[in-house]
Amino acid sequence: MSGKSVIPDIDTTTAHSARMYDYYLGGKDNYAVDRKAADGVIALFPDTPRIAAENRAFMRRATAAMVREGGVRQFVDLGSGLPTVDNLHEVAQRTAPGSRVVYVDNDPIVLAHGRALLEGNGLTRVITADLRDPDGLLADSALTGLIDFDRPVGLMMISVLHFIEGDLAPLLAGYLDRLAPGSYLALSHVNAENADTGRADLVRNTYRNSASSLTYRTRDEIAGLLAGCDLLDPGIVPAWRWRPDSAGTAEPAPAAGDVRPARSAILAGVGRLAGR
Ligand SMILES: C[S@@+](CC[C@H](N)C(=O)[O-])C[C@H]1O[C@@H](n2cnc3c(N)ncnc32)[C@H](O)[C@@H]1O
């Protein structure tokens, strides 16, 4: 569905991952049902808010790297989440002011809040759509009106693919086949190899009762998502380890020698499409 002109009803009776994530990040755009579900996850994994912040910081560093090193000036952020502090378009447009950004999320609350944030910013749009339909999304005039697919694009799939069940290869191909050489794919994903599977199962149950179920994938499966790209250094690593010293982004500093499993709960990587 494209939500260009109509803001659909927002369901406040079922927890939504966008609003739970907002709560983890300390935001206010969430409802009692989201806070209850998120508090259940935090009770099981107290590091969740920090991991969410680290994931968000990875998004910012990956964006900055694409702008600075890859010369990318247009981004499509799939499963963008609610606007928060220092969003992708702010990171990109700070370095390269003409950068164009399209945010895509299937939760209509993202559109409602994004509109207010982006008023007057003609280089940035929010679309309500399901990323599982690449053909429909890539034909949406709200997207094609801003993004030129003959030029490199930074495609972001940050902390969203674990909300998509099944084989992701055809879905990724649906996007990557459309991207020009020199495009980038940045992704992060919940790591199945996190310790304590008992608690992980309980978290999965929490999300099963929300609008999106959660699929854990192994490091190899996550690496496979970037198999068609040249992987940027340092490869597939916990989100906080992806170029933690890059300038321009704030992030919580990891304690030296911190090897707790929670620190690798989210794996992240960035790939560059060469000769597609
Ligand atoms: C954990 S948040 C991540 C937000 C942001 N990418 C980040 O990492 O900071 C996951 C987001 O993906 C969205 N999402 C889940 N399934 C989706 C789908 N099928 N299509 C589009 N968005 C989806 C949720 O609504 C939510 O906003």
Side-chain angles (χ1 to χ4, degrees):
M1 175 191 61
S2 171
K4 280 167 280 180
S5 54
V6 180
I7 296 177
D9 287 343
I10 289 165
D11 175 7
T12 60
T13 61
T14 307
H16 276 237
S17 61
R19 296 168 345 210
M20 291 170 68
Y21 184 67
D22 175 71
Y23 181 67
Y24 299 147
L25 291 173
K28 301 273 178 275
D29 299 321
N30 46 71
Y31 298 93
V33 69
D34 309 307
R35 293 189 285 276
K36 187 170 176 216
D39 279 337
V41 173
I42 293 169
L44 291 161
F45 288 104
D47 282 316
T48 301
R50 185 172 65 164
I51 291 161
E54 289 174 352
N55 174 69
R56 195 77 195 163
F58 160 71
M59 178 279 288
R60 296 188 189 109
R61 295 195 303 276
T63 303
M66 290 182 204
V67 172
R68 292 196 183 119
E69 295 168 30
V72 174
R73 297 291 181 268
Q74 40 179 12
F75 292 85
V76 177
D77 187 1
L78 300 175
S80 57
L82 278 153
T84 175
V85 178
D86 217 11
N87 299 290
L88 191 157
H89 72 282
E90 293 162 303
V91 176
Q93 291 167 2
R94 193 158 52 226
T95 310
S99 297
R100 295 160 186 264
V101 177
V102 175
Y103 293 116
V104 179
D105 204 286
N106 68 346
D107 190 332
I109 197 173
V110 173
L111 176 69
H113 288 265
R115 275 214 175 121
L117 179 79
L118 301 175
E119 203 138 307
N121 183 335
L123 296 171
T124 308
R125 287 183 188 163
V126 186
I127 301 176
T128 301
D130 195 315
L131 69 86
R132 288 171 293 186
D133 176 20
D135 290 344
L137 178 58
L138 294 172
D140 189 324
S141 59
L143 183 78
T144 57
L146 205 60
I147 303 295
D148 175 1
F149 283 96
D150 291 331
R151 302 182 67 79
V153 171
L155 184 70
M156 318 299 280
M157 297 177 129
I158 313 287
S159 209
V160 65
L161 291 173
H162 44 241
F163 295 119
I164 311 293
E165 291 170 303
D167 179 11
L168 296 177
L171 176 69
L172 281 164
Y175 288 103
L176 299 186
D177 289 351
R178 286 287 304 279
L179 299 185
S183 294
Y184 287 80
L185 169 62
L187 60 83
S188 64
H189 195 294
V190 168
N191 180 9
E193 286 142 38
N194 201 9
D196 198 337
T197 51
R199 284 188 299 157
D201 283 345
L202 291 171
V203 170
R204 193 174 11 225
N205 286 344
T206 301
Y207 278 94
R208 195 171 288 137
N209 294 326
S210 81
S212 337
S213 60
L214 186 64
T215 299
Y216 294 85
R217 291 186 174 88
T218 63
R219 190 191 179 288
D220 284 351
E221 288 171 324
I222 296 166
L225 303 174
L226 284 157
C229 308
D230 298 332
L231 207 52
L232 269 58
D233 285 340
I236 310 285
V237 292
W240 65 273
R241 274 184 173 274
W242 200 90
R243 303 189 181 183
D245 296 322
S246 300
T249 59
E251 71 161 329
D258 186 347
V259 292
R260 282 178 296 158
R263 299 310 305 277
S264 58
I266 298 264
L267 295 179
V270 180
R272 183 176 186 277
L273 279 74
R276 292 180 76 90

